């Protein structure tokens, strides 16, 4: 399995996120990727390189998934932030006002001139700081996803996009949940565009993949499945319930498997089997796995109890789908263990594939 790692990731380094009325240190830190990279050097699965994708092809692949207005915002966001006040260069940009998702008459059709208002328009939480290197890092992460999709479309059994910042919470025109560009959606769309007729996305991050769900919600050619902490108690709260089954042509092509906080490996594996059956019934010819390791018992912000020794079998179960597979790196905040857990899963996949 080839791994494509993002050489620009460390430029995205948020200082703080909002938690219960206070600013706390960011959980989504550069060291996360470095630990996975170090473990892949210790236990190689295949080549480990930065992505080599054409810049114009990358722009096209990103624009297949994200709105032009949102991308234009992201491209100049940092400069606009600093232009508000030169002292902002020392501070991360965080939103503080939102248009209530277009409810109650708040408008999202008029692009505000004020940067803080624009940041609110294009975001859904105050936990995803935008920093000087965020745009370059997000583009680099998307390049990993595209390169991984190209490898798989070219015949590789699997590929790993070691892509930071994560992506599965980012939607067509919004950031949030530490995510800016939806790497898994970019990979899935690139596989479609390379000729795979039916692509399944099976999201195993602790948190519901709301961005990916939203991007493909009305489409029958991309099945989205997510197993995650029940949004009744867990982030992102406002999406991820079992009754969200898709809309329009996409009706029946979204499956959410919410699980209670405290869920252990046995019940989690049973849900994974349900998810894999849905992928098989769909008749997918390629698979994208948004790979979050925040299902781990030691994760500081999550509530499942999977152990380091459980992940190899998870990888083997995913290999059992028998599909060309792209993995994108998502959550996982127990930094010391994230590399071991990620490589255990990928090695388990590769051994069984
Ligand atoms: C990609 C991904 O896993 N995103 C997750 C985003 C979760 N953001 C909200 C987390 C709030 C938890 N804060 C707990 C602080 C405990 N000290
Ligand atoms: Zn997560």
């Amino acid at each position: 399995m080839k791994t494509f790692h993002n050489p620009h990731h460390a430029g995205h380094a948020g200082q703080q996120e909002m938690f219960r009325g206070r600013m706390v240190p960011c959980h989504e830190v550069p060291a996360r990727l470095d630990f996975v990279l170090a473990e892949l050097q210790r236990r190689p699965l295949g080549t480990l390189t930065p992505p080599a994708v054409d810049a114009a092809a990358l722009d096209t692949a990103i624009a297949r998934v994200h709105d032009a207005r949102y991308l234009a915002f992201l491209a100049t966001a940092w400069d606009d932030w600093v232009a508000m006040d030169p002292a902002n260069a020392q501070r991360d940009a965080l939103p503080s006002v939102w248009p209530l998702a277009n409810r109650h008459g708040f408008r999202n059709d008029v692009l505000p001139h004020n940067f803080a208002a624009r940041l609110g328009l294009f975001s859904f939480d105050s936990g995803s700081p935008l920093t000087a290197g965020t745009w370059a890092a997000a583009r680099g992460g998307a390049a990993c996803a595209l390169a991984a999709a190209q490898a798989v479309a070219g015949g590789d059994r699997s590929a790993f996009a070691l892509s930071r910042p994560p992506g599965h919470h980012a939607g067509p025109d919004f950031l949030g949940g530490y995510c800016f560009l939806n790497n898994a959606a970019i990979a899935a769309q690139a596989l479609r565009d390379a000729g795979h007729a039916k692509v399944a996305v099976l999201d195993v991050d602790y948190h519901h993949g709301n961005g990916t769900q939203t991007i493909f919600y009305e489409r029958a050619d991309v099945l989205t499945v997510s197993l995650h902490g029940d949004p009744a108690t867990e982030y992102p709260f406002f999406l991820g319930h079992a009754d969200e089954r898709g809309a329009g042509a996409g009706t029946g092509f979204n499956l959410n498997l919410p699980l209670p906080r405290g869920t252990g490996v046995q019940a989690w594996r049973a849900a994974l089997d349900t998810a894999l059956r849905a992928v098989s019934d769909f008749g997918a010819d390629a698979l994208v796995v948004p790979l979050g390791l925040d299902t781990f018992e030691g994760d500081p912000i999550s509530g499942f109890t999977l152990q380091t020794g459980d992940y190899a079998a998870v990888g083997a179960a995913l290999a059992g789908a028998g599909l060309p597979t792209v993995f994108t790196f998502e959550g996982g905040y127990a930094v010391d263990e994230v590399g071991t857990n990620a490589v255990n899963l990928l090695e388990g996949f590769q051994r069984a594939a």
Side-chain angles (χ1 to χ4, degrees):
M1 172 180 330
K2 290 176 184 140
T3 294
F4 301 96
H5 67 87
N6 179 5
H8 306 296
H9 83 92
H12 174 64
Q15 299 168 40
Q16 296 178 305
E17 61 185 82
M18 175 79 86
F19 180 64
R20 295 188 185 160
R22 284 183 306 153
M23 300 309 291
V24 300
C26 284
H27 295 282
E28 204 291 287
V29 293
R32 299 176 58 248
L33 188 147
D34 297 333
F35 274 85
V36 180
L37 202 55
E39 191 64 18
L40 283 169
Q41 280 157 350
R42 213 168 1 249
R43 290 191 278 159
L45 300 173
T47 59
L48 188 54
T49 61
V53 299
D54 177 73
L58 178 60
D59 286 333
T60 302
I62 293 171
R64 294 283 284 145
V65 160
H66 293 286
D67 290 0
R69 191 174 81 148
Y70 173 60
L71 295 172
F73 160 77
L74 280 182
T76 64
W78 180 256
D79 291 345
D80 295 346
W81 168 245
V82 175
M84 279 186 113
D85 178 350
N88 280 356
Q90 307 309 316
R91 293 189 278 260
D92 300 343
L94 280 173
S96 56
V97 60
W98 291 271
L100 271 180
N102 205 25
R103 284 159 58 216
H104 308 304
F106 277 91
R107 301 204 27 196
N108 63 15
D109 58 321
V110 184
L111 191 64
H113 182 74
N114 180 278
F115 175 77
R118 280 211 307 288
L119 185 55
L121 176 62
F122 293 118
S123 67
F124 71 93
D125 75 4
S126 59
S128 313
L130 196 149
T131 78
T134 297
W135 177 235
R139 273 180 63 84
C144 295
L146 179 59
Q150 286 172 347
V152 163
D156 286 16
R157 172 70 173 85
S158 62
F160 179 34
L162 182 44
S163 45
R164 213 196 130 258
H168 75 148
H169 294 300
D173 63 351
F174 57 84
L175 63 91
Y178 317 148
C179 302
F180 299 85
L181 297 176
N182 194 314
N183 304 310
I186 289 165
Q189 184 62 49
L191 288 165
R192 283 288 295 108
D193 293 340
H196 289 274
K198 287 182 165 197
V199 178
V201 180
L202 201 178
D203 191 321
V204 298
D205 188 279
Y206 178 75
H207 304 96
H208 173 241
N210 64 288
T212 323
Q213 171 172 314
T214 295
I215 287 166
F216 297 115
Y217 205 61
E218 298 186 19
R219 285 173 54 175
D221 59 329
V222 179
L223 173 75
T224 43
V225 184
S226 180
L227 37 159
H228 50 262
D230 188 337
T233 59
E234 307 307 300
Y235 184 93
F237 306 114
F238 305 111
L239 211 59
H241 299 278
D243 63 354
E244 298 155 13
R245 299 305 313 269
T251 302
F253 298 97
N254 184 73
L255 177 64
N256 286 328
L257 300 168
L259 298 163
R261 207 179 166 78
T263 292
V265 69
Q266 202 182 343
W268 191 88
R269 284 292 307 275
L272 181 64
D273 288 345
T274 303
L276 285 165
R277 253 191 322 273
V279 170
S280 166
D281 291 348
F282 173 61
D285 58 14
L287 178 65
V288 176
V289 178
L291 176 56
L293 287 311
D294 39 13
T295 49
F296 175 54
E297 177 165 44
D299 196 89
I301 67 168
S302 307
F304 293 163
T305 65
L306 273 68
Q307 309 287 315
T308 293
D310 293 329
Y311 286 103
V314 173
L318 291 166
L323 294 170
T325 302
V326 171
F327 293 91
T328 60
F329 186 49
E330 305 289 345
Y333 308 100
V335 177
D336 290 340
E337 290 94 350
V338 73
T340 308
N341 292 343
V343 179
N344 280 2
L345 188 148
L346 297 169
E347 197 176 68
F349 178 98
Q350 182 142 291
R351 286 204 176 124

